[in-house]
C-alpha cells in the first residue's frame, strides 16, 4: 500500500526525531502526546534541528519550511485513525504500549499498518493485543534519529510479507538502511550493545576501573566514539535497565542479570543526560564523573 500520512505516538526524544525525518522525506506527519507542552517542545526542537541542517548546507531553507508545514500535532490519540502508518514511540513499558494500541484499534482504517519503536519488547505479544497482527511489526530507529542511519525491522510471528515490504520501502524513502531481525528479546543491536554496557557497569561496580578509565579505555582501545558509561547516560539508564530486564526475563540466562549499580542509579532518579545526572553530572560546564 502507498504510505502518505504517518501518525507518531509520543513526542519525546525518539518521537520528535522520527517526525523530523518523515516530514523531511515528504510524508504528512501527525504527532500526538498526552501533554500539549511536550508537543510544543517537540515542534520547537524539530525546528531547531532542521535549522542546524540548513546552516550546515545539508538541506535548503525551502526544504526546512516544507517539512515544518507537514507536521501537525494533537493531544487526541484517536485523531491518528486516518493515517496510513502509525509508529508508537512511547515510554519503554509494555503496559503503556498495549494500552495505546488497544485505544487506537477501534478508530483505524482497515489497511493502517501499526508499528512500535520498541527497543526490546516482543512484537508478537504487542501485535496480539490488536485486531491486525499481520499488519503489525517493529520499526526500531536509533537515537538520534536524524543522524543515525539504521532502522531495525522486526517481524512478529504473524507479520505478512506485504507489511514488511511496505515498511522496508518507507525506510528506503527516508534515506536510511534497514536490517531484518527476528522477534527475540532486544533484537540485534541491543542484544549485543546492552550486555556490553551492563558489563562496563559491573566493571565500575567491582572497582576494576573508574568511570573515566572505563570510558577512555573503550574509546582509545576499541575505537568506540563514546565510552560505554557515557553512552548509557545518552540512552537513559532507565531504558538500559528495562532492556536488560527484558533480556534476563526472556532468555533466562544469568549473564543478562542487570548490574545492581545500574538499578541503584535508576532508583535514585539518576537516569543520565535527561535528568542531568547519571554516571556523569551534567549540571556544570563540563560533565564530571559521579563515581
Amino acid at each position: 500500500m502507498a504510505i502518505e500520512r504517518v501518525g507518531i505516538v509520543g513526542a519525546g526524544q525518539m518521537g520528535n526525531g522520527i517526525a523530523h525525518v518523515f516530514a523531511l522525506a515528504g510524508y504528512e506527519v501527525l504527532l500526538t502526546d498526552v501533554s500539549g507542552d511536550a508537543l510544543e517542545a517537540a515542534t520547537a526542537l524539530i525546528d531547531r534541528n532542521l535549522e542546524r541542517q540548513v546552516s550546515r548546507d545539508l538541506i535548503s531553507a525551502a526544504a526546512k519550511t516544507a517539512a515544518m508545514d507537514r507536521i501537525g500535532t494533537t493531544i487526541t490519540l484517536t485523531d491518528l485513525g486516518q493515517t496510513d502508518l502509525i509508529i508508537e514511540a512511547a515510554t519503554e513499558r509494555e503496559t503503556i504500549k498495549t494500552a495505546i494500541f488497544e485505544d487506537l484499534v477501534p478508530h483505524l482504517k482497515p489497511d493502517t499498518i501499526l508499528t512500535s519503536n520498541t527497543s526490546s519488547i516482543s512484537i508478537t505479544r504487542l501485535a496480539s493485543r490488536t485486531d491486525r497482527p499481520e499488519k503489525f511489526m517493529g520499526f526500531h530507529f536509533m537515537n538520534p534519529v536524524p543522524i543515525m542511519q539504521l532502522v531495525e525491522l522486526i517481524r512478529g510471528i504473524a507479520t505478512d510479507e506485504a507489511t514488511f515490504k511496505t515498511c522496508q520501502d518507507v525506510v528506503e524513502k527516508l534515506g536510511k538502511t534497514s536490517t531484518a531481525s527476528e522477534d527475540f528479546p532486544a533484537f540485534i543491536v541491543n542484544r549485543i550493545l546492552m550486555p556490553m554496557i551492563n558489563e562496563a557497569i559491573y566493571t565500575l561496580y567491582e572497582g576494576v576501573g573508574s568511570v573515566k578509565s572505563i570510558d577512555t579505555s573503550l574509546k582509545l582501545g576499541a575505537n568506540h566514539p563514546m565510552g560505554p558509561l557515557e553512552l548509557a547516560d545518552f540512552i537513559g539508564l532507565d531504558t538500559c535497565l528495562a532492556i536488560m530486564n527484558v533480556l534476563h526475563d526472556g532468555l533466562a540466562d544469568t549473564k543478562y542479570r542487570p548490574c545492581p549499580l545500574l538499578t541503584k542509579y535508576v532508583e535514585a532518579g539518576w537516569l543520565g543526560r535527561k535528568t542531568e545526572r547519571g554516571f556523569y553530572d551534567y549540571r556544570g560546564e563540563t560533565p564530571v564523573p559521579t563515581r
Side-chain angles (χ1 to χ4, degrees), residues 31-73:
L31 179 63
T32 187
D33 198 282
V34 293
S35 166
D37 289 343
L39 289 170
E40 288 184 18
T43 304
L45 180 58
I46 293 168
D47 186 83
R48 291 197 300 273
N49 287 338
L50 285 167
E51 185 58 38
R52 186 177 296 114
Q53 289 179 296
V54 172
S55 69
R56 295 175 180 173
D57 293 325
L58 299 174
I59 63 172
S60 67
K64 176 204 166 180
T65 300
M68 291 302 299
D69 288 344
R70 294 187 192 104
I71 300 174
T73 62

Side-chain angles (χ1 to χ4, degrees), residues 66-86:
M68 291 302 299
D69 288 344
R70 294 187 192 104
I71 300 174
T73 62
T74 178
I75 60 170
T76 305
L77 178 66
T78 55
D79 286 348
L80 272 59
Q82 295 305 302
T83 57
D84 306 313
L85 168 68
I86 292 176

Side-chain angles (χ1 to χ4, degrees), residues 10 87 92 120 153-154 186 233 246 262 267 286:
I87 303 171
E92 191 70 358
S120 61
L153 296 179
I154 306 100
D233 276 356
V246 166
L262 173 60
E267 288 174 343
T286 58

